[in-house]
Amino acid sequence: LSSLESYKSDTSVEIQMPSIASLTASLISGEENKSLDKDSISLNSVGKVNQDGGAFMSENNVLVKSTIMQNFINTNIKNDGQNLYVNIPDLTYLLKEKSPYPSIVKMNEQESLSVSKLFEGELGLFLGRLNVYQLLAKGVSSFIDKDSIGSYDDLISKVEITEKGMENIKGVDTYRYSVNPDKELFKKLLLNITDKFILNQNEEDRTKMLEIVSSAFVKSFDVWVGKSDNTIYQYEIVLDIPLSKILSFEDRSIGDNQISIAWKTTYFDFNKRNEIIIPDSYISTKDFIRNSKVKTIKEQLNNFGPLADDLRKVEKTFGLKINKEGSCMNPVSGSLFSPL
């Protein structure tokens, strides 16, 4: 791919897990719930890459759907080689508060780390530790760099390969092969990649990641190689990870439940110039975050009036005590800012 002047890619990721409802029932009862209900998250990304003359430029249309989200997320991400231009959709239902109007946000790698502050609690902390910028900028293949290429070479030099016949991939005749990777070498490569994907790992993080990667079971790993040029046009990997390892919680209520991940990427239209138009109208990451906070404050203030009226209807007053001795941050108990 690095030797091509341009190409397109189509990636689909499907994650399936026990439903939140059945998992909750299991944890409450202490016994494994045998329900077959599943929750899922799916991601589809259609990308275009130009990299002739040493300049890199890309565009990705991304669609995320899930049974645990009210709506889907549809966004467009462009990369001019130095900055990302992210089309932000309406994320009100995800942020659990009013989000800024849909807009295009320009951000560099350092600025991307601050976006996690918009999300609440554990989600915000988690997102703040992911190298999301590199994933959005160049995709998963960008984590196979000069540091991890040795692990990659070791893996592909020691695999068992089974031929599965010919298939046509977007007009190209290919041979399909089933790959059986060495478990230890596969684990080494995954750890190498996660080291770069998760920022500022401590010893506890590495121990947990080692447990997860070590427990991953590769159900299938197929590649499609061009009949005439030996180029990989498509790969698909399906693996299972025990839910107990993801949750770091060993209990019979979890049972042998698995999280299943199916990943398929197809590459096509090699060396056919892509039209990628970098937007000339956008807002900065700093302004986007500031506008988000201002909008949140306005929404909270707008909601405060009706809440105060509801309080008065119940207590017949805006507070049983006045707040002259306190403040809104440290109020008198029983006053408007701290109702009984």
Side-chain angles (χ1 to χ4, degrees):
L1 293 175
S2 62
S3 67
L4 298 173
E5 292 185 357
S6 59
Y7 60 90
K8 292 184 177 69
S9 65
D10 189 342
T11 295
S12 63
V13 182
E14 181 80 20
I15 302 173
Q16 286 200 336
M17 66 202 83
S19 71
I20 299 296
S22 63
L23 181 58
T24 302
S26 297
L27 293 172
I28 291 174
S29 67
E31 300 290 339
E32 182 183 358
N33 189 306
K34 298 294 185 179
S35 170
L36 298 178
D37 292 341
K38 299 286 185 181
D39 278 326
S40 64
I41 301 172
S42 66
L43 177 148
N44 181 253
S45 174
V46 179
K48 300 185 289 187
V49 172
N50 292 333
Q51 51 189 9
D52 56 318
F56 183 91
M57 188 177 292
S58 68
E59 178 177 359
N60 279 279
N61 288 306
V62 181
L63 177 66
V64 181
K65 297 181 180 180
S66 174
T67 57
I68 58 178
M69 295 193 309
Q70 294 177 5
N71 300 301
F72 60 82
I73 298 175
N74 193 0
T75 185
N76 176 276
I77 303 164
K78 292 184 173 71
N79 178 10
D80 65 4
Q82 295 180 316
N83 299 286
L84 295 182
Y85 300 81
V86 184
N87 193 326
I88 305 293
D90 188 345
L91 298 176
T92 299
Y93 64 93
L94 189 60
L95 295 171
K96 297 182 180 178
E97 58 190 30
K98 189 66 177 177
S99 74
Y101 294 111
S103 52
I104 296 176
V105 180
K106 177 184 177 182
M107 68 178 71
N108 58 34
E109 186 167 4
Q110 188 61 37
E111 291 169 337
S112 68
L113 299 175
S114 60
V115 176
S116 63
K117 297 175 183 177
L118 291 175
F119 295 85
E120 297 178 345
E122 291 295 327
L123 177 60
L125 293 174
F126 174 71
L127 292 175
R129 300 182 61 200
L130 298 182
N131 192 348
V132 178
Y133 181 89
Q134 187 168 332
L135 182 64
L136 296 178
K138 295 188 178 181
V140 175
S141 60
S142 63
F143 291 93
I144 305 293
D145 56 16
K146 62 181 181 181
D147 296 325
S148 56
I149 198 68
S151 299
Y152 177 74
D153 286 344
D154 289 343
L155 176 70
I156 63 175
S157 66
K158 297 178 181 179
V159 296
E160 297 176 7
I161 298 175
T162 304
E163 189 172 340
K164 301 179 73 173
M166 288 185 60
E167 289 186 25
N168 189 279
I169 303 295
K170 294 187 180 294
V172 178
D173 289 331
T174 66
Y175 294 109
R176 180 178 180 177
Y177 298 98
S178 178
V179 179
N180 185 15
D182 179 271
K183 184 176 176 61
E184 288 302 312
L185 292 176
F186 185 70
K187 180 176 72 175
K188 181 181 177 182
L189 176 61
L190 286 182
L191 285 173
N192 202 309
I193 292 173
T194 54
D195 278 348
K196 297 174 177 59
F197 187 62
I198 301 176
L199 304 171
N200 304 318
Q201 287 193 72
N202 54 35
E203 196 60 37
E204 182 180 347
D205 294 329
R206 288 192 58 81
T207 299
K208 179 177 180 179
M209 190 55 62
L210 179 61
E211 289 183 357
I212 292 174
V213 171
S214 298
S215 67
F217 172 70
V218 181
K219 296 178 68 175
S220 65
F221 188 178
D222 288 4
V223 295
W224 286 256
V225 179
K227 178 181 177 181
S228 60
D229 58 9
N230 290 326
T231 297
I232 292 180
Y233 283 88
Q234 182 171 278
Y235 66 85
E236 181 177 32
I237 183 168
V238 179
L239 54 86
D240 284 344
I241 302 175
L243 182 61
S244 59
K245 299 300 182 183
I246 299 290
L247 298 178
S248 297
F249 181 65
E250 299 285 351
D251 190 88
R252 66 181 182 180
S253 62
I254 302 296
D256 59 358
N257 277 309
Q258 306 278 321
I259 288 184
S260 180
I261 303 172
W263 184 300
K264 181 168 73 174
T265 295
T266 306
Y267 300 104
F268 57 103
D269 283 357
F270 293 172
N271 292 326
K272 294 182 180 180
R273 182 72 180 178
N274 296 305
E275 183 180 23
I276 300 175
I277 301 175
I278 301 299
D280 54 12
S281 178
Y282 49 79
I283 64 173
S284 68
T285 304
K286 184 177 180 180
D287 286 342
F288 174 71
I289 294 175
R290 184 177 68 246
N291 292 346
S292 301
K293 292 180 178 178
V294 169
K295 203 164 189 65
T296 298
I297 292 172
K298 287 181 177 180
E299 288 294 324
Q300 291 172 343
L301 288 173
N302 288 335
N303 291 333
F304 186 76
L307 288 172
D309 284 336
D310 290 342
L311 176 67
R312 180 173 57 84
K313 290 174 184 176
V314 174
E315 297 193 1
K316 311 305 179 186
T317 176
F318 281 119
L320 299 179
K321 297 180 181 179
I322 60 175
N323 197 43
K324 284 185 178 180
E325 306 298 325
S327 66
C328 60
M329 297 300 292
N330 187 26
V332 172
S333 179
S335 66
L336 172 62
F337 293 97
S338 181
L340 295 176

